[in-house]
Amino acid sequence: MNKVDSPQVTKRKTRLSSYTPNAIESATTTIKLQPLTLRDLVFGEEEPLTYDDLISSLPGRRNQIFELVRLLGPVDSPVSPIFVYGGASTGKTSTILQVFRHLNRPFVYSSCRTCYNARQLFENILNQLLLHRKSEINGYSSAKKCEKQADFVNLLKEALVGVVDSLKGNSGKSSGGSFNGSMVYLIFDSLELVRDWDKSSTILPFLFKLHDILKVPDVEDALRQILMRNQPNPKLYSAFLDLVLKPFCRVTRKLDELSAGLSPLFKKFCEPLDDLEVNPVGENKRKLLNCLQPHIAPAINEILRVTTMSSQVNMKKKKSGASDSIDEIEFHMSTSAKYLVISAFLASRNPATLDASFFDSTGGPANQKKKRKSSEKSKELKEALEEEQFMKGPGTFPLERLLAIFQCITSGSEYPLEEEDEEEEEEEDKSLMSDILLQVSSLCSANFISKGGSCPLEGSTRYRSTISEDLALKVAKSLKFPLAKYLYRK
């Protein structure tokens, strides 16, 4: 019996089944990259740009290029932090990178757009300085794990010392790997984005102070050179400074305080010695350290006590000076204008719902007693709304609210406004209102009050107070007005 051939159903090819073994093997082949070298710390592998080529490659940026080159200065010259700002897509990054290509100086570039937290930013800088590249071989890990600022400073110092030593050893070579100078620059791109992911608001101040933090060893070396002057036995005094200068510099770096603290301590250091011309090394230096050790801590505590007392005295002087000067304002202002400034400040800082409790004699504590006790949930919601309003800053207010507060605080003030006869009451109200509106306009021109636009529901112009609380207190004290009594605080 013949065999009947059944129709074969062909399987649908999937994306994975369509790959051949050779294709899979070639896709998983690791790409071997060349190890990083010092040459990767400069811009590109091309020859440095000439100044004319730099100007022609960035049209319209001649002045900015000249200013940037001037600020960077000669090779290996000290440079303060430089902040470059401008609109989007105006050539900030391109200008900086092309300038460094022209100068042929080593730098480390980090973008705060791709490094979206402190750990990525710190490790990205260290990876470039340590010539480390993430790959499959090292599990795409960084050369050093770093999350804290203190750890980053220590690791950065070690990495910079190694790179600078390598650059100094490479400076004499005439090959293509030569550089201009042995200073490494740190370039941070899109620095404003740090505010989005740095909730503690400590990274930006830290980066701007990084230049000063890394210069601390230079301060100790400078102090050592100054203290070594006019010493009869420089080697002996140098051995003494090796033991005490570093712990003393943690307390103070003022030369007069260091000299006063180290002078009696050096006498204690020399007491076991019969010959002051000797150079203590090895075992003799350790014996002198053991004899000096009990006296170091009391000397440091004495300097710390003197430094703390002097700082407290300075703080008291500042506080007393501030309290003396807070009663005075540095400009002349009429009485009605002062009350308008205070009224605008209260209208911007206080919620409008609290005006009745602050200024209305019938809507104050008496009405508050009649209210039902609020639940915990409503209290939390109210506190959240108040905190949100406080974070938004000074609020806006209509002109009617400003005039209402102005009328309330001037009615019982110690410096009442001048009044006319009772027969001319209507004319007085009209002239007073026109005078107040004129003064509101003058305060807007003087930037004490700003116009905040019109409300779409009310259709009237809204205003906002622009003065600080310190200035408001000065104005209030000049009128003997109890501002704190009417100011809402959480």
Side-chain angles (χ1 to χ4, degrees):
M1 188 173 179
N2 294 334
K3 194 174 187 180
V4 179
D5 295 334
S6 61
Q8 296 181 355
V9 180
T10 59
K11 293 183 179 180
R12 186 180 62 177
K13 288 187 177 181
T14 62
R15 186 176 298 178
L16 181 61
S17 62
S18 62
Y19 282 129
T20 60
N22 293 333
I24 297 177
E25 183 178 357
S26 60
T28 58
T29 302
T30 303
I31 300 175
K32 295 183 179 180
L33 300 175
Q34 295 295 328
L36 298 177
T37 62
L38 290 176
R39 188 63 193 172
D40 292 295
L41 294 179
V42 296
F43 185 81
E45 299 180 355
E46 300 86 358
E47 292 296 326
L49 285 175
T50 63
Y51 188 76
D52 294 336
D53 293 338
L54 176 63
I55 297 297
S56 61
S57 63
L58 298 168
R61 290 288 175 259
R62 177 185 293 271
N63 296 333
Q64 289 79 4
I65 292 172
F66 177 79
E67 183 67 16
L68 188 58
V69 173
R70 185 189 67 81
L71 291 174
L72 292 174
V75 177
D76 293 340
S77 59
V79 182
S80 299
I82 302 173
F83 183 75
V84 180
Y85 65 95
S89 301
T90 54
K92 301 182 296 296
T93 303
S94 300
T95 301
I96 293 174
L97 295 180
Q98 292 296 331
V99 166
F100 272 91
R101 180 184 174 186
H102 161 67
L103 298 175
N104 196 29
R105 298 182 186 179
F107 65 91
V108 171
Y109 173 84
S110 297
S111 174
C112 297
R113 189 175 299 277
T114 56
C115 301
Y116 48 85
N117 56 47
R119 177 175 177 177
Q120 288 189 349
L121 183 62
F122 295 159
E123 292 183 357
N124 183 31
I125 297 172
L126 295 174
N127 287 339
Q128 296 181 61
L129 290 174
L130 297 174
L131 305 179
H132 175 82
R133 174 183 282 148
K134 294 182 179 181
S135 62
E136 185 181 359
I137 299 176
N138 52 43
Y140 299 99
S141 61
S142 300
K144 301 287 184 180
K145 291 184 178 181
C146 180
E147 294 183 0
K148 299 180 180 180
Q149 299 176 10
D151 297 337
F152 174 67
V153 171
N154 296 328
L155 294 173
L156 182 62
K157 288 180 180 179
E158 296 177 2
L160 286 174
V161 169
V163 172
V164 170
D165 291 341
S166 301
L167 292 174
K168 288 180 178 178
N170 189 269
S171 60
K173 299 179 182 179
S174 59
S175 60
S178 60
F179 313 98
N180 288 336
S182 57
M183 179 183 293
V184 181
Y185 299 82
L186 302 182
I187 301 177
F188 299 95
D189 197 1
S190 302
L191 193 61
E192 72 279 359
L193 298 179
V194 174
R195 295 178 296 181
D196 298 337
W197 51 261
D198 180 27
K199 303 304 180 182
S200 61
S201 301
T202 58
I203 298 298
L204 277 179
F206 168 71
L207 293 178
F208 279 104
K209 292 180 181 178
L210 190 60
H211 175 260
D212 297 327
I213 296 174
L214 296 176
K215 289 174 61 178
V216 171
D218 297 336
V219 176
E220 294 184 8
D221 294 340
L223 290 173
R224 173 184 285 271
Q225 294 177 9
I226 296 173
L227 294 171
M228 286 289 296
R229 293 181 61 188
N230 302 326
Q231 294 296 332
N233 188 353
K235 294 182 180 179
L236 179 63
Y237 200 78
S238 178
F240 167 72
L241 292 180
D242 291 339
L243 303 176
V244 300
L245 183 58
K246 189 171 183 178
F248 270 77
C249 284
R250 294 173 183 171
V251 178
T252 180
R253 292 187 177 89
K254 295 182 178 180
L255 190 60
D256 54 347
E257 295 179 355
L258 287 175
S259 300
L262 295 179
S263 179
L265 203 60
F266 182 63
K267 295 179 180 179
K268 295 286 184 181
F269 180 76
C270 297
E271 284 181 358
L273 296 176
D274 298 330
D275 184 11
L276 297 180
E277 299 295 330
V278 69
N279 181 20
V281 292
E283 188 65 27
N284 293 332
K285 190 174 182 179
R286 283 191 291 271
K287 290 181 179 179
L288 291 175
L289 175 60
N290 294 332
C291 297
L292 189 65
Q293 193 71 37
H295 305 283
I296 294 179
I300 293 177
N301 292 335
E302 182 66 20
I303 290 183
L304 183 61
R305 186 179 68 85
V306 173
T307 306
T308 307
M309 289 179 60
S310 62
S311 61
Q312 290 177 352
V313 171
N314 294 333
M315 288 295 295
K316 289 181 179 179
K317 290 181 179 179
K318 290 181 180 179
K319 289 181 180 180
S320 62
S323 61
D324 295 339
S325 62
I326 197 172
D327 297 332
E328 301 177 358
I329 54 179
E330 301 175 354
F331 48 85
H332 174 72
M333 183 180 289
S334 64
T335 303
S336 58
K338 290 180 181 179
Y339 279 115
L340 282 173
V341 168
I342 295 175
S343 303
F345 179 77
L346 292 174
S348 284
R349 297 303 178 95
N350 293 347
T353 54
L354 299 180
D355 286 350
S357 60
F358 278 128
F359 304 109
D360 190 1
S361 59
T362 62
N367 283 353
Q368 291 179 0
K369 293 180 181 179
K370 298 179 182 179
K371 294 180 180 179
R372 291 186 301 176
K373 186 177 181 181
S374 302
S375 62
E376 294 294 333
K377 186 175 182 180
S378 62
K379 287 182 179 180
E380 293 178 359
L381 181 60
K382 183 179 179 181
E383 291 178 357
L385 293 175
E386 291 171 352
E387 184 176 359
E388 181 182 0
Q389 185 67 25
F390 177 77
M391 294 299 293
K392 290 181 179 178
T396 59
F397 53 87
L399 182 62
E400 292 78 8
R401 186 182 174 207
L402 173 66
L403 298 178
I405 296 176
F406 174 79
Q407 184 177 4
C408 291
I409 65 177
T410 54
S411 59
S413 63
E414 295 187 13
Y415 294 89
L417 301 179
E418 296 181 357
E419 297 181 357
E420 303 293 335
D421 296 335
E422 295 181 359
E423 299 176 356
E424 302 176 354
E425 185 175 353
E426 294 182 1
E427 296 181 0
E428 173 199 354
D429 293 339
K430 292 180 181 179
S431 62
L432 182 60
M433 181 59 64
S434 61
D435 182 55
I436 291 175
L437 294 178
L438 182 62
Q439 292 195 38
V440 170
S441 177
S442 300
L443 291 175
C444 291
S445 301
N447 203 26
F448 288 97
I449 302 175
S450 65
K451 291 185 178 181
S454 60
C455 179
L457 298 178
E458 299 175 357
S460 59
T461 304
R462 299 182 69 86
Y463 299 87
R464 176 185 285 110
S465 175
T466 58
I467 66 172
S468 62
E469 186 174 350
D470 293 337
L471 181 57
L473 288 172
K474 289 182 181 181
V475 175
K477 288 193 174 184
S478 66
L479 296 172
K480 296 183 180 180
F481 177 78
L483 181 63
K485 179 181 176 181
Y486 296 92
L487 189 61
Y488 171 74
R489 297 187 185 276
K490 184 180 175 181

